[in-house]
Amino acid sequence: MNYNNPNLIFNDIPSGKIGWSSPSNIALIKYWGKKDLQIPTNASLSFTLNNCQTETIIEFSPTYNDGCSIEFFLEGIPNKRFAEKTCLFFNRIASIFPFIKQLDFKIYSKNTFPHSAGIASSASGMSAIALILCDIENQYFNTFSNEEEFYKKASYIARLGSGSACRSIYGGLVSWGEINKGSNLYGSPVIDGVSDVFKNYHDSILIVDSEEKKVSSTVGHGLMNSNPFKNGRYNQASANISKLIDIIGKGDLNNFINIVESEALTLHAMMMTSLPYYLLMKPNTISIIERIWQFRNEKEIPVCFTLDAGPNIHLLYPHSYDDKVKIFIKNELLQFTSNNTVIHDRVGNGPQKLNL
Ligand code: ADP
């Protein structure tokens, strides 16, 4: 697959603005380790979230600059680091969207949740930008013959911004990688065979620490290349993803819990066994995990946790236990969070275009 297209060049360079909101996602089978350009070493699987969103508006106009011409405003404040990262992304996709070089960009973005803290702001942020660029192509070059083509390309582009962003392009359960006829190049929605219990699954995110993590995911992925356990991990992930898709089809909550918690702990085990080794979990992360296990054993309520590459706990549970779990969170878990912060989220329907 090659999206390079020298014809995507404006004759009359337009000015305009386009906005999209795009959600974060929580991986159940983790992507950790990459080869080549944003190609994963194993397939991954995630739930797209509903409330953890990035809202991005891009204003574009003709440029008089040769280089990358981006101003980035995060929550209204100029952010040079985000502008630089977006420039790297735009340079990477310049042969796919040659019109980028003809435009000045002002990017206004806000996240509904803390960024760079392991809640995948990179996924929501980069997927929103990818959708906007595809939308520029759609509006001015009219190249897509249907929605499926549009979203597939948006997912391909999002991956080049941040791997897991390719899964945020779709709602529900989404895979990325070579599983079920899927591809390493873009995400694919798992449309058939999701049991009802998982369609509106809850994810309450307990913010143990909202500080920027000390080791970025990019560095973490790189360290997998020399991790002595890497091959075992890649084989385990491949086996787990097939099993989990089957389990989600059957609505088998016990086995869901076993695989999802094992995946979370394995991800962090990879960090602990990298050289240099490091920890992203905090003491309060462990305290919450112990309380979850105790609560599950005593009350026989099927709650479980997963972790992204950060210290914050994603508490996963069926909608029917919502009231009981919220009481558990309030009485037992909030004490371990930073400023009593919890984001109640659930499986969502995917990105939306903003009416501007
Ligand atoms: P996280 O766990 O939040 O994904 P990372 O360190 O992996 O943490 O990614 C954070 C990076 O994601 C930021 O440095 C920035 O490049 C990008 N990012 C976060 N929010 C946005 C946004 N709203 N728009 C564009 N990029 C974003």
Side-chain angles (χ1 to χ4, degrees):
M1 170 180 273
N2 185 349
Y3 277 120
N4 289 356
N5 184 351
N7 297 327
L8 296 182
I9 281 280
F10 292 117
N11 293 327
D12 293 318
I13 306 175
S15 296
K17 64 176 170 180
I18 295 179
W20 276 78
S21 71
S22 190
S24 175
N25 67 73
I26 178 64
L28 307 169
I29 301 294
K30 307 297 180 181
Y31 152 55
W32 202 241
K34 53 178 144 185
K35 36 185 186 185
D36 304 334
L37 196 62
Q38 304 291 86
I39 298 296
T41 44
N42 63 265
S44 55
L45 185 72
S46 56
F47 279 142
T48 292
L49 296 176
N50 192 53
N51 303 333
C52 288
Q53 297 264 354
T54 291
E55 211 177 274
T56 298
I57 295 171
I58 300 189
E59 283 181 7
F60 47 91
S61 53
T63 188
Y64 302 100
N65 272 337
D66 269 351
C68 188
S69 185
I70 295 178
E71 282 178 89
F72 199 113
F73 300 88
L74 187 68
E75 325 276 346
I77 299 167
N79 189 314
K80 250 186 118 182
R81 205 160 55 87
F82 276 36
E84 281 162 12
K85 284 210 176 176
T86 312
C87 267
L88 287 177
F89 176 33
F90 278 19
N91 284 335
R92 194 177 274 178
I93 56 178
S95 51
I96 299 176
F97 294 128
F99 61 76
I100 284 179
K101 297 276 181 212
Q102 298 178 288
L103 296 171
D104 254 343
F105 295 97
K106 284 199 170 68
I107 304 180
Y108 301 91
S109 191
K110 53 189 182 196
N111 300 329
T112 59
F113 60 98
H115 69 83
S116 313
I119 316 176
S121 66
S122 44
S124 53
M126 292 301 182
S127 55
I129 292 175
L131 285 157
I132 292 169
L133 292 174
C134 287
D135 210 344
I136 294 177
E137 175 180 341
N138 187 38
Q139 284 190 28
Y140 293 94
F141 299 94
N142 199 16
T143 40
F144 297 105
S145 34
N146 55 43
E147 272 197 1
E148 196 184 330
E149 270 182 18
F150 174 87
Y151 285 109
K152 192 187 225 182
K153 182 161 182 181
S155 182
Y156 181 103
I157 300 296
R159 172 183 59 86
L160 294 172
S162 166
S164 53
C166 75
R167 297 188 308 245
S168 279
I169 296 292
Y170 301 101
L173 187 69
V174 185
S175 69
W176 169 34
E178 291 174 346
I179 177 85
N180 283 357
K181 298 192 189 141
S183 165
N184 283 335
L185 302 178
Y186 48 82
S188 307
V190 181
I191 295 163
D192 297 323
V194 175
S195 159
D196 282 348
V197 68
F198 290 111
K199 287 188 178 149
N200 56 359
Y201 224 61
H202 284 247
D203 177 4
S204 291
I205 308 166
L206 298 146
I207 307 295
V208 169
D209 188 349
S210 60
E211 293 289 299
E212 237 173 86
K213 52 199 175 194
K214 301 278 179 294
V215 182
S216 75
S217 295
T218 308
V219 171
H221 282 289
L223 291 174
M224 273 305 273
N225 291 330
S226 54
N227 188 300
F229 302 105
K230 65 179 179 183
N231 291 329
R233 165 59 195 153
Y234 302 148
N235 291 336
Q236 178 203 39
S238 298
N240 276 349
I241 193 167
S242 300
K243 281 189 216 159
L244 194 63
I245 289 175
D246 189 49
I247 286 165
I248 288 175
K250 290 184 178 136
D252 174 354
L253 294 176
N254 286 335
N255 280 315
F256 176 83
I257 289 170
N258 289 338
I259 289 194
V260 166
E261 289 192 346
S262 167
E263 276 288 312
L265 294 178
T266 304
L267 169 69
H268 284 258
M270 291 301 106
M271 300 172 195
M272 293 182 217
T273 51
S274 292
L275 279 177
Y277 47 81
Y278 64 106
L279 279 172
L280 291 183
M281 284 193 266
K282 301 279 180 190
N284 281 341
T285 312
I286 310 277
S287 298
I288 293 175
I289 291 174
E290 287 182 333
R291 291 295 174 110
I292 294 168
W293 285 344
Q294 194 184 355
F295 177 77
R296 190 163 76 221
N297 283 337
E298 284 172 7
K299 309 279 187 213
E300 297 189 356
I301 289 179
V303 295
C304 70
F305 71 87
T306 189
L307 298 157
D308 227 326
N312 304 311
I313 295 271
H314 290 250
L315 192 66
L316 303 174
Y317 51 97
H319 178 63
S320 55
Y321 293 98
D322 190 24
D323 292 345
K324 287 183 178 142
V325 174
K326 294 250 165 74
I327 294 169
F328 165 57
I329 292 173
K330 187 160 167 257
N331 291 346
E332 294 198 45
L333 303 186
L334 273 190
Q335 58 178 317
F336 300 113
T337 62
S338 155
N339 300 319
N340 291 331
T341 314
V342 54
I343 304 171
H344 294 297
D345 210 335
R346 56 162 73 197
V347 175
N349 295 328
Q352 279 205 310
K353 185 166 176 161
L354 301 177
N355 279 325
L356 301 179

